[in-house]
Amino acid sequence: MNMYKRIIVVVSVALFTLLALLAAIITDLNDRDFPQAIRSESRLNISFNKSGLSITEAFSKLEELDTSLKLGLVKIAPDLASEGDGQIFATLNDEGLPDELTWFSGDDTVKIVGKNRLANSYPDGLYLVTGNTARLNEFADTLKDAGVEVSRRDASILDSLVFVMQERGFTTVIIASLALISSLALFWLSVRARGRALRVLGGSPTMRIQMQDITEFGEALFVSAGTVAMVAAIYVVFFHGWMYVSTFLKVLISLQVVVIAISILAALIMSASAWPSAIMLATRQPAVKSLRSLAIVIQALTFVLVVASAAPAWSAYKHSSAKATEMAQWKRLADQVSIVFATDNDEMDRMEPMIGEMVKDAESIEAVALSYTYTKEMRPSVDFGEYSAVSFVNQRWLDLVTMGAKQPVVTPVSYHNILENLVHEIQEEIDILSREGHPENLFEQLQFLQPVEGSRLPVAQGGGGESLHFGDDVLFTVVPSLYDTFNDSTLTSMISSDNIVFTGVTATQQLLERHSLDVHALRDRGIKGELEVVYIAEEAILQAQFAAYLVWLQHLSLIALSVAFSVATAISALITATLQAKRDFPLRLAGRSWMRILQSRVTKELLVGILLVIIVVMLQRPNAIGIVLVTAAYGLLIVPLSHLFAVHWCFNGVSKRRI
């Protein structure tokens, strides 16, 4: 029996190691939300969109409250100067924080900079509280009175667990853990079945037998859990630091307690449902016979989980690849800025001619890029033909998004090869948005391009250039000149929606000054509003940084489910081989091959497996059918191998009179 306990301990160590990896990921996510190195216990999401405050006024308000309430506010922003996808923390006041910090994962270093870094950023976004949190409610109430939206989240292990469980990748790991622990419980009951039957015959009380079985099973689990927790804690201390041990152990022990409790409950239910019957004892049937139905059910369930998890894992990988591509494009746009209008409509109307001249000036130094896109969904009455979208761009935009490409990624298209309906729509668009007195042959000056096969280029959606649309079937309409093509009102509108962006903060501020659009010049003209220069890539880069963990966990959980299925299949095969030993042993002695002996039982399981795969595919309708079939093939291969191993083991057991 000690050998079987050792097997339980070894397999459960692997299970709890999986939970330790999950706990490390949760600890890292918690650290990224509430960095322990700067003692952050709260974070705020602040939006000034509906407040009516300008960018300058918003930052002044934040600095004033931060100083008076001693909050130690730090704004999270991406590190646009680096080659990676890191972040920087910008303080609103000098709070004596270190110059840099390292995450729990230790994969990168975060610089802590002064408030000057926020000179060209939006005030909206995430802020960490590194100081006194006692007056946070007063801070939030003051901002809300000014029309500012403020949401608060405090550091909480329970909240972190709940948050990650809402993500499919994390939930699948827990499901995989429960499937594996259920397979272990089934294994334990199968090796205890004969002894339990003898104790039932001997008249031992049912409760005592149940408690003995569950207690020994629980002891093996607790030994494994304690060993893993101790080793993992020592690892965290040596490689990450003491500051993270408390959070890590809270997460790990919470996960272990939940899994052990559920596994013991599952073992109790299994034990009760597979209790030796009087008929089975009277007819001297093998004690494991009562577990056969449970083994088949667990085997089927784990197989379904493996097959059903393959497509989401592959989709997560593809989604991560798309996110990585998008992030790479945003990094190419890291030095691009947009101009935010903190003005009313009347003031914007007065500024339109100056803005037009500024765009003309920017074009002369190749410091302005345009991408204005509308899709099929935005123009349902227009037949786009083979294209999903039309994007008005200038050459500067194409240069930005194709930077570093070794081969041409776009190819010319004659407008004669474009559907007449779409050509008419483009011509109408130009006529509506163009400047008065534009040349009659303006349409003929347009150049049409499309991505070459295999290329996906980003474009900015019209009216909302803060998000990129990637497509390999976009029709690029290249305008020769922004100023000559579009009127001042259109240019102003495109700038306000981030469809026109400029290169470099300093260069753009100089453009504003040259065209009397800086704050001092606007005040001299009696305009109370202002124009602010901000990076366009900040929020997009921050949003793209979470995908890596989910992909990693999806594949980790798929491996765990595969292990659970393999264990369940092996146990089911052992039970079947034990029940069929009286038949298999003489057939093998008579010279019949194992394949002929196993033919009927393997065929039945393979047919059922194929049926389950068909049901999963019909219900799930995955796009990546290939990966599902590969995963299913692995599952169907385990079945004959498990049966072959089981009959060999039983044959040897019967030969040596152990069975």
Side-chain angles (χ1 to χ4, degrees):
M1 192 58 63
N2 288 334
M3 179 187 72
Y4 297 123
K5 272 190 177 181
R6 285 196 292 270
I7 293 175
I8 295 287
V9 169
V10 170
V11 178
S12 56
V13 161
L15 166 66
F16 292 124
T17 301
L18 173 64
L19 294 183
L21 291 173
L22 181 58
I25 291 172
I26 295 174
T27 303
D28 186 33
L29 291 176
N30 184 78
D31 185 50
R32 289 181 182 272
D33 280 346
F34 307 98
Q36 298 298 300
I38 55 175
R39 303 175 301 280
S40 174
E41 295 297 329
S42 295
R43 64 193 279 130
L44 305 172
N45 192 349
I46 304 177
S47 174
F48 289 85
N49 290 339
K50 300 178 181 179
S51 67
L53 297 174
S54 68
I55 292 177
T56 303
E57 292 170 340
F59 274 122
S60 296
K61 186 77 172 177
L62 287 177
E63 290 178 27
E64 177 187 342
L65 291 173
D66 181 45
T67 302
S68 61
L69 301 179
K70 302 183 187 308
L71 300 179
L73 291 181
V74 175
K75 189 178 190 301
I76 303 174
D79 188 1
L80 300 176
S82 72
E83 292 298 325
D85 55 358
Q87 296 177 339
I88 60 171
F89 292 161
T91 61
L92 295 187
N93 294 287
D94 185 10
E95 299 294 334
L97 295 176
D99 293 333
E100 60 183 28
L101 65 84
T102 303
W103 299 116
F104 169 83
S105 61
D107 56 356
D108 54 16
T109 299
V110 182
K111 296 178 181 178
I112 301 177
V113 299
K115 63 183 179 181
N116 291 336
R117 167 60 180 79
L118 300 176
N120 303 107
S121 297
Y122 289 106
D124 308 67
L126 295 174
Y127 290 80
L128 299 173
V129 181
T130 64
N132 182 22
T133 60
R135 300 179 69 182
L136 263 184
N137 290 334
E138 180 183 343
F139 171 81
D141 291 340
T142 303
L143 288 181
K144 288 177 181 178
D145 291 341
V148 182
E149 297 178 3
V150 181
S151 60
R152 171 183 176 180
R153 188 157 71 89
D154 296 326
S156 168
I157 299 300
L158 180 60
D159 288 346
S160 297
L161 285 171
V162 171
F163 170 75
V164 299
M165 294 313 162
Q166 293 174 348
E167 294 290 343
R168 185 186 182 94
F170 291 92
T171 307
T172 310
V173 172
I174 298 300
I175 293 174
S177 303
L178 296 179
L180 185 54
I181 208 73
S182 299
S183 299
L184 281 179
L186 178 64
F187 171 74
W188 178 248
L189 292 176
S190 68
V191 300
R192 299 282 291 186
R194 183 171 180 270
R196 183 168 57 179
L198 292 175
R199 281 179 288 165
V200 170
L201 280 174
S204 293
T206 301
M207 185 60 68
R208 180 185 298 175
I209 297 173
Q210 293 274 36
M211 288 304 297
Q212 287 177 346
D213 289 344
I214 298 304
T215 298
E216 292 190 34
F217 180 59
E219 286 176 356
L221 294 181
F222 276 111
V223 168
S224 302
T227 302
V228 170
M230 186 182 305
V231 173
I234 294 173
Y235 178 87
V236 169
V237 170
F238 275 95
F239 292 94
H240 300 282
W242 275 102
M243 71 182 77
Y244 301 109
V245 173
S246 175
T247 302
F248 174 78
L249 285 179
K250 286 178 183 177
V251 176
L252 177 58
I253 292 173
S254 299
L255 292 172
Q256 289 178 335
V257 168
V258 170
V259 169
I260 291 175
I262 294 177
S263 64
I264 291 176
L265 178 61
L268 280 171
I269 295 172
M270 289 182 191
S271 179
S273 63
W275 195 252
S277 65
I279 295 175
M280 188 188 77
L281 295 173
T283 56
R284 300 172 64 87
Q285 296 176 16
V288 293
K289 183 177 181 180
S290 58
L291 294 170
R292 187 179 186 184
S293 298
L294 280 173
I296 293 173
V297 169
I298 293 178
Q299 180 186 356
L301 285 177
T302 51
F303 179 67
V304 169
L305 286 172
V306 170
V307 175
S309 299
W314 182 254
S315 297
Y317 168 75
K318 299 295 287 184
H319 178 69
S320 174
S321 298
K323 278 291 183 184
T325 302
E326 183 175 345
M327 182 178 291
Q329 291 290 356
W330 279 118
K331 292 300 292 183
R332 291 174 182 171
L333 300 174
D335 64 339
Q336 302 301 299
V337 297
S338 63
I339 297 177
V340 179
F341 293 79
T343 60
D344 57 34
N345 291 333
D346 291 338
E347 290 179 337
M348 285 183 66
D349 292 341
R350 294 172 57 189
M351 288 188 289
E352 284 178 358
M354 294 181 287
I355 291 172
E357 290 297 326
M358 181 187 68
V359 171
K360 183 178 181 180
D361 189 2
E363 277 194 293
S364 67
I365 57 174
E366 297 184 354
V368 60
L370 161 74
S371 178
Y372 180 87
T373 308
Y374 54 85
T375 63
K376 282 183 178 181
E377 292 73 21
M378 298 169 65
R379 306 287 173 89
S381 61
V382 181
D383 185 0
F384 279 62
E386 60 182 299
Y387 302 105
S388 66
V390 174
S391 182
F392 290 94
V393 299
N394 66 342
Q395 187 59 47
R396 173 63 179 164
W397 178 269
L398 292 177
D399 292 341
L400 286 172
V401 299
T402 60
M403 189 185 307
K406 296 180 180 179
Q407 300 291 334
V409 292
V410 291
T411 183
V413 179
S414 172
Y415 77 88
H416 296 294
N417 296 329
I418 305 172
L419 289 180
E420 184 178 348
N421 191 17
L422 184 57
V423 171
H424 181 69
E425 180 71 17
I426 295 172
Q427 193 161 10
E428 280 194 344
E429 189 87 14
I430 289 293
D431 291 339
I432 293 172
L433 303 179
S434 62
R435 187 176 299 277
E436 289 186 12
H438 66 80
E440 294 183 1
N441 64 341
L442 178 59
F443 180 79
E444 297 176 2
Q445 297 181 30
L446 301 180
Q447 182 184 6
F448 296 98
L449 303 172
Q450 67 182 23
V452 300
E453 185 176 354
S455 297
R456 291 171 56 85
L457 295 179
V459 291
Q461 184 171 304
E466 67 277 358
S467 62
L468 294 181
H469 168 77
F470 284 78
D472 56 2
D473 54 356
V474 176
L475 177 63
F476 292 98
T477 304
V478 185
V479 298
S481 165
L482 300 188
Y483 181 80
D484 294 335
T485 303
F486 302 110
N487 58 47
D488 294 337
S489 178
T490 299
L491 292 174
T492 303
S493 176
M494 288 179 171
I495 292 173
S496 66
S497 61
D498 293 343
N499 292 112
I500 290 180
V501 295
F502 300 83
T503 301
V505 171
T506 303
T508 304
Q509 288 175 330
Q510 291 173 351
L511 279 172
L512 292 175
E513 292 173 2
R514 283 204 299 270
H515 296 276
S516 302
L517 290 169
D518 59 301
V519 174
H520 299 295
L522 292 177
R523 294 294 180 272
D524 293 340
R525 292 173 175 270
I527 296 176
K528 298 180 180 179
E530 58 187 271
L531 304 183
E532 294 287 345
V533 179
V534 298
Y535 290 108
I536 67 169
E538 282 190 349
E539 193 64 27
I541 291 177
L542 289 176
Q543 290 175 353
Q545 291 177 359
F546 188 63
Y549 273 144
L550 295 183
V551 178
W552 195 77
L553 278 180
Q554 286 279 21
H555 290 82
L556 191 65
S557 61
L558 184 59
I559 294 172
L561 283 171
S562 300
V563 172
F565 168 70
S566 301
V567 172
T569 302
I571 295 169
S572 177
L574 279 172
I575 293 174
T576 302
T578 303
L579 297 177
Q580 297 291 331
K582 290 180 180 180
R583 168 186 174 272
D584 296 342
F585 188 78
L587 289 176
R588 182 60 177 168
L589 288 179
R592 186 169 294 186
S593 68
W594 283 124
M595 294 308 298
R596 287 191 62 190
I597 295 172
L598 295 173
Q599 183 176 357
S600 60
R601 68 189 77 165
V602 170
T603 301
K604 289 178 183 178
E605 290 193 27
L606 291 180
L607 289 175
V608 172
I610 292 171
L611 179 62
L612 291 175
V613 172
I614 293 173
I615 293 174
V616 169
V617 170
M618 290 179 64
L619 294 176
Q620 204 175 43
R621 298 187 181 279
N623 294 326
I625 188 69
I627 194 68
V628 175
L629 295 179
V630 170
T631 307
Y634 160 79
L636 297 177
L637 178 64
I638 291 294
V639 171
L641 292 178
S642 297
H643 279 290
L644 190 60
F645 164 79
V647 292
H648 271 290
W649 185 85
C650 284
F651 183 84
N652 292 331
V654 173
S655 300
K656 298 176 182 179
R657 298 184 178 276
R658 291 200 304 258
I659 299 178

